[in-house]
Amino acid sequence: MPDYQKMLDRSIPDDNPAGTGAEMSRSRKEVLADALMAEIGAAPVDLKTLFTDDVVGWSPYVTLSGLAALADLAALRETAFSNVVLTFRGLDEVGNRAFAEWLVEADHTGPLVLSEDSVLEATGRHVQLPGVTVADFRDGKIRSFRTYFDDISLIEQIAGA
């Protein structure tokens, strides 16, 4: 499992800029890092501890709304990939947002569902996927996130193009 503690240790104390009245016990960087680790299956966690009930998210493959949709998405990824390693290239927070630049490496060992009509069957190929996630927070939890990565590069790696 990657060591991201050095980046987390640089956290600036939270003065609760959202003005919610609730004092945060963890930095936004820590919450985002834990959420990304949970999404790749490296850390079992109750999603309610990291995300609001009404969380919304976007990536090149999916737009989702709510914790149930997020849990379903995480389950699909756990089926499609194994030997997953997440490396943080950058992790920071500004105001009510946290940003993570990351690299995921994994083996494609199960079906990857792209849409209702499109599934990439297991190839066993090793893939590398760099990306960035931006998360907005409310009351110490992720309220919305956007994840950016090159989806064509991932498909090319899986297909062996």
Side-chain angles (χ1 to χ4, degrees):
M1 194 179 302
D3 179 15
Y4 58 87
Q5 191 60 46
K6 288 181 184 175
M7 287 184 239
L8 297 178
D9 288 342
R10 294 185 300 173
S11 174
I12 298 171
D14 184 6
D15 60 357
N16 197 18
T20 62
E23 190 173 319
M24 288 180 53
S25 60
R26 299 172 55 210
S27 76
R28 290 176 182 85
K29 292 189 300 188
E30 291 173 309
V31 172
L32 179 55
D34 288 348
L36 291 168
M37 296 294 286
E39 185 175 342
I40 67 165
V45 67
D46 180 1
L47 295 178
K48 289 182 181 184
T49 65
L50 302 172
F51 298 92
T52 62
D53 290 337
D54 59 347
V55 64
V56 293
W58 175 90
S59 79
Y61 287 125
V62 69
T63 299
L64 63 83
S65 181
L67 276 175
L70 183 61
D72 291 346
L73 178 63
L76 287 174
R77 291 209 176 111
E78 286 179 22
T79 301
F81 297 101
S82 61
N83 302 317
V84 182
V85 175
L86 173 66
T87 305
F88 290 97
R89 294 176 164 176
L91 191 57
D92 207 350
E93 63 184 86
V94 176
N96 208 37
R97 286 197 173 126
F99 308 86
E101 182 180 2
W102 44 261
L103 173 68
V104 171
E105 295 185 69
D107 297 327
H108 178 227
T109 54
L112 176 61
V113 178
L114 302 176
S115 69
E116 290 179 16
D117 303 326
S118 183
V119 177
L120 296 174
E121 295 300 331
T123 62
R125 290 191 174 92
H126 186 75
V127 297
Q128 295 183 334
L129 182 66
V132 172
T133 299
V134 179
D136 296 300
F137 285 74
R138 182 177 70 220
D139 298 331
K141 296 180 183 181
I142 297 171
R143 163 61 183 105
S144 67
F145 64 90
R146 283 119 15 242
T147 297
Y148 304 92
F149 58 86
D150 185 350
D151 54 336
I152 300 301
S153 171
L154 177 62
I155 292 169
E156 286 174 346
Q157 290 178 69
I158 289 172

